[in-house]
Amino acid sequence: MKSEYSHIREEVKMATRREVLKLGAIGTGITLLAPKLGMADLVFPDGFRQSILDNPSPPVTPFVVPLNVMPIAKAVRESFLTTPEGGGTPVDPHRHQRFNEFKPKKFYVNYIEEFLWQYHTDPPYNTGSWAWGFREPGMKTGITPGLTFHAKYGEPVFLRRINNLPPVGSANVGFALPSTTIHLHNGHTASESDGIPQDFFNPGEHWDHHYANFPAGFDEREIMTTLWYHDHRENFTAPNVYAGLNGFYLLFDEKDANDETKLGTFRLPSGKYDVPLILHDCQFDQNGQPVWDFSDPTPTTDPATGEYIGSEMYTTFGMLGDRFTVNRIIQPYFKVEARKYRFRVLNGGPSRLYQLYLQKEGTPDKFDPLVVISTDGNLLPAPIVADHIRLGVAQRHDIIIDFSKYQPGDQIYLVNRMEMRSDGAGWSGRLLDQGDQIMRFDVIAATGPDPSRIPAKMRELPEIRMDKVRRERLFVFDYDNGLWTINGKLFDPNRSDALIEQGSAEIWTFRNAGDSWMHPIHTHFEEFQILEINGRPLGKDDVDRARKDVIMLGPNEEVKFYSRWRDFLGKHVMHCHNVVHEDHAMMIRWDIVPPGQGD
């Protein structure tokens, strides 16, 4: 292993638990400030307790259910779209920008439906939990997460989604809204196919998406890899995603080719050794059904005494569950051969933040290194060896774990040590000593040689063209009268807060006005490059020195970045991806407009 990893630019020792606790938030790629430990910014009644403490989910036996690996989506013939099963209408090229330039080479149909999903085999989960998810033609029932799409640059895709959810008031999932819009995060996609919050469709309707699958500005340095799709319905993103509406969309190209044997490519682990992992924390009632407190956003008190008596979640700030799921299985195990694997790790939300470590069974004071190769779906200029990864909601890291350094029979745990505030609004500022075991890897003997590689270099960063900068903008994220605001405003889908000239670049500054909450801020359509965090440039080995689509904006932090807007016109959004904050109005609309029409 030493000789193979010798080209990687940063090595870390096997850190002991005590050493990591001393470091706190200091480490490879960590720039997030620790919040104050109190709750001075948000007022709670005395005795406030989150609902998972008063009404915990039924217990389970961990690591007895295998990991769910989602199947790869299958294409259909274009003619299928005109059949009743396919939606009954042909493709309309006039609905999509640049359609004829990027005519689809593959066509897909997905149905959005309600079904029973088994999170675990222990009672009461074994009888099934109601969920929403996706089904394709030929499947008997839906799945969550949805099917994983394998797409290629230069191979445009047409995807029709048909809403088969029960009408309002008749679903078994009572906390979500059967009106949906599915966003491809962070596809370089025209507005009409982006799945923005106001482009929703109801039961019995469908929406067509055209994914052109070309890099922004036709620049190969802008090629992406790990994308995901999720519901984005205005005011209901959090419960709709929590109900099950998300999945992976993976993009490949000539270098990241999904072929670990092909010379001239990066030869990253591929096929069954390339595994997407989406993390969700959930809460269940005593019947094993997912629950979401979406009623009054204040805890219940006794009218006579004012004493706190209820167990309602303060959903204005965040929703925390007490059962950790990976690919919608509670604490699964996964058999891994003694060789390299690529894991695409995604924080699916709704509110929890993660700081993830690898820990071998029987070594409680050590964390094993892993290799980070991407952030937010963008391959880094070079791999980074780290002792942990940090994920805000919607953030992704592709990591490589080499299990050849272990013996068959070894058990390796993925452990989360980030402690959350009890209200779900962000990090408490503390790292847990033991942490929560999210999943377990069970090492078995390799079935053959491992031809995969960890490349010395990957994607170069595009140059920052300051001569293209037309405007600078400041966005302040705050909390006012029970709702989350940007520049003092609540979201209005009919109001554009920024008119950006097509082909231009801008510099944006995000400022967190709170000293205890956190906001993973996502802006649609184009990636950006961070220039400064709190007035300081990033270090050369910082994992955030990359192309990004989410900024983990810590308390009192200010982040300045550079971005461009090319190739399409139309409306998009920027918002907090703690989707509870988004649903409580922390979002703006911005538009790409022709040159000369900017504000």
Side-chain angles (χ1 to χ4, degrees):
M1 186 181 79
K2 183 177 180 180
S3 61
E4 181 176 353
Y5 289 170
S6 62
H7 61 265
I8 299 178
R9 65 187 181 192
E10 181 176 353
E11 291 285 354
V12 297
K13 64 180 180 179
M14 301 283 275
T16 67
R17 185 184 305 279
R18 184 172 298 173
E19 288 169 337
V20 174
L21 285 171
K22 287 181 180 178
L23 289 172
I26 301 173
T28 302
I30 300 301
T31 54
L32 191 63
L33 294 180
K36 296 180 180 179
L37 297 183
M39 293 187 178
D41 297 297
L42 306 176
V43 179
F44 297 91
D46 292 340
F48 170 79
R49 286 163 58 86
Q50 58 195 124
S51 61
I52 55 177
L53 297 179
D54 288 337
N55 297 300
S57 302
V60 297
T61 305
F63 317 122
V64 297
V65 181
L67 177 73
N68 166 43
V69 179
M70 294 75 70
I72 308 303
K74 298 177 181 177
V76 299
R77 295 181 182 273
E78 182 178 359
S79 59
F80 182 78
L81 301 173
T82 61
T83 69
E85 284 185 287
T89 59
V91 174
D92 181 1
H94 301 291
R95 286 194 66 251
H96 307 281
Q97 297 179 59
R98 308 185 71 171
F99 184 91
N100 290 326
E101 292 179 64
F102 303 99
K103 291 184 177 180
K105 296 183 179 180
K106 287 190 175 181
F107 298 83
Y108 296 88
V109 170
N110 272 192
Y111 310 104
I112 303 173
E113 297 180 344
E114 182 177 77
F115 48 86
L116 285 170
W117 178 257
Q118 190 176 85
Y119 281 88
H120 202 276
T121 54
D122 283 354
Y125 306 97
N126 60 322
T127 58
S129 306
W130 287 106
W132 291 356
F134 300 87
R135 180 177 65 85
E136 68 179 9
M139 292 175 58
K140 293 181 178 180
T141 187
I143 59 173
T144 178
L147 299 116
T148 297
F149 289 85
H150 278 192
K152 296 180 181 179
Y153 277 97
E155 190 173 83
V157 161
F158 182 92
L159 170 57
R160 172 168 293 171
R161 291 191 171 98
I162 300 173
N163 189 339
N164 287 343
L165 292 170
V168 174
S170 61
N172 291 288
V173 175
F175 53 79
L177 185 71
S179 172
T180 186
T181 174
I182 307 298
H183 168 53
L184 179 58
H185 179 131
N186 192 42
H188 191 62
T189 305
S191 173
E192 63 274 6
S193 294
D194 189 46
I196 56 178
Q198 53 270 50
D199 284 352
F200 51 85
F201 55 108
N202 297 316
E205 300 175 340
H206 68 256
W207 196 278
D208 291 343
H209 303 263
H210 174 230
Y211 300 142
N213 291 341
F214 69 89
F218 301 93
D219 186 340
E220 290 186 357
R221 296 170 297 182
E222 303 266 3
I223 284 174
M224 301 181 66
T225 174
T226 303
L227 283 69
W228 67 299
Y229 58 92
H230 62 84
D231 180 87
H232 214 319
R233 174 60 159 90
E234 183 183 355
N235 300 324
F236 281 87
T237 296
N240 282 10
V241 173
Y242 186 80
L245 297 182
N246 55 15
F248 281 93
Y249 185 98
L250 309 182
L251 276 164
F252 298 96
D253 69 288
E254 292 181 355
K255 299 295 289 184
D256 187 6
N258 195 26
D259 186 348
E260 62 187 30
T261 67
K262 187 176 182 181
L263 298 179
T265 71
F266 292 141
R267 297 182 65 181
L268 297 169
S270 63
K272 66 179 181 178
Y273 306 110
D274 178 358
V275 185
L277 304 175
I278 183 167
L279 311 183
H280 290 283
D281 56 318
C282 301
Q283 183 180 0
F284 299 87
D285 66 19
Q286 295 310 300
N287 296 315
Q289 301 304 311
V291 294
W292 177 285
D293 173 29
F294 205 63
S295 53
D296 187 351
T298 59
T300 302
T301 58
D302 186 324
T305 65
E307 180 183 0
Y308 171 73
I309 59 172
S311 59
E312 294 177 351
M313 188 68 182
Y314 215 86
T315 50
T316 302
F317 306 125
M319 173 67 187
L320 297 181
D322 58 351
R323 290 288 169 261
F324 294 95
T325 75
V326 183
N327 295 352
R328 300 285 178 169
I329 301 296
I330 299 173
Q331 290 177 285
Y333 74 87
F334 186 50
K335 290 184 178 181
V336 292
E337 297 179 30
R339 56 151 289 160
K340 292 186 289 297
Y341 280 73
R342 175 182 186 172
F343 294 103
R344 304 171 187 257
V345 190
L346 159 67
N347 180 354
S351 302
R352 187 177 294 274
L353 314 176
Y354 294 87
Q355 188 153 310
L356 300 171
Y357 297 78
L358 285 179
Q359 187 172 68
K360 181 183 174 183
E361 177 73 27
T363 59
D365 291 326
K366 292 183 179 180
F367 300 109
D368 291 1
L370 47 83
V371 180
V372 185
I373 62 170
S374 85
T375 181
D376 290 353
N378 302 279
L379 290 176
L380 300 172
I384 296 176
V385 177
D387 66 344
H388 67 271
I389 56 173
R390 173 173 282 172
L391 293 171
V393 183
Q395 288 187 309
R396 293 90 72 209
H397 284 309
D398 286 21
I399 62 174
I400 293 179
I401 302 176
D402 190 349
F403 293 103
S404 67
K405 61 187 176 183
Y406 302 108
Q407 298 298 317
D410 284 347
Q411 295 177 330
I412 317 299
Y413 294 92
L414 187 66
V415 178
N416 176 44
R417 297 183 54 232
M418 181 172 284
E419 182 185 75
M420 291 290 291
R421 289 168 48 117
S422 61
D423 62 348
W427 180 32
S428 73
R430 290 181 282 259
L431 291 179
L432 300 169
D433 186 16
Q434 297 300 320
D436 297 300
Q437 294 176 333
I438 304 299
M439 68 176 294
R440 190 181 74 194
F441 301 103
D442 294 345
V443 182
I444 62 174
T447 58
D450 178 6
S452 68
R453 298 288 184 267
I454 300 177
K457 295 182 179 180
M458 295 182 292
R459 301 261 187 242
E460 293 184 7
L461 292 174
E463 61 183 326
I464 294 176
R465 294 282 306 274
M466 299 303 289
D467 61 307
K468 296 288 185 179
V469 174
R470 294 291 179 265
R471 289 168 179 79
E472 295 194 24
R473 304 181 195 266
L474 170 66
F475 298 98
V476 180
F477 298 82
D478 209 344
Y479 178 77
D480 186 27
N481 292 323
L483 294 171
W484 300 97
T485 63
I486 302 177
N487 288 349
K489 298 178 182 179
L490 305 178
F491 177 59
D492 181 349
N494 297 313
R495 182 191 70 233
S496 179
D497 291 303
L499 300 177
I500 303 166
E501 296 182 21
Q502 185 185 37
S504 72
E506 295 190 357
I507 293 176
W508 287 12
T509 298
F510 289 168
R511 179 182 298 161
N512 189 346
D515 63 4
S516 57
W517 56 69
M518 294 183 176
H519 301 299
I521 306 301
H522 168 53
T523 182
H524 286 209
F525 185 66
E526 284 251 20
E527 309 302 288
F528 53 77
Q529 293 183 60
I530 296 174
L531 301 174
E532 298 175 354
I533 298 180
N534 298 324
R536 297 180 179 179
L538 297 178
K540 66 182 182 67
D541 292 325
D542 194 312
V543 73
D544 284 339
R545 189 173 177 268
R547 295 171 55 245
K548 299 279 294 175
D549 63 52
V550 178
I551 285 177
M552 192 63 247
L553 193 63
N556 294 317
E557 275 196 329
E558 185 170 286
V559 177
K560 180 180 290 188
F561 67 79
Y562 164 94
S563 189
R564 299 183 67 178
W565 286 267
R566 295 160 286 186
D567 303 318
F568 295 104
L569 299 171
K571 55 191 177 184
H572 293 273
V573 294
M574 177 265 285
H575 58 89
C576 180
H577 227 298
N578 177 338
V579 279
V580 176
H581 296 185
E582 174 197 318
D583 286 341
H584 290 83
M586 186 169 264
M587 181 159 53
I588 67 164
R589 170 186 155 188
W590 53 264
D591 294 9
I592 303 174
V593 298
Q597 297 183 20
D599 61 7

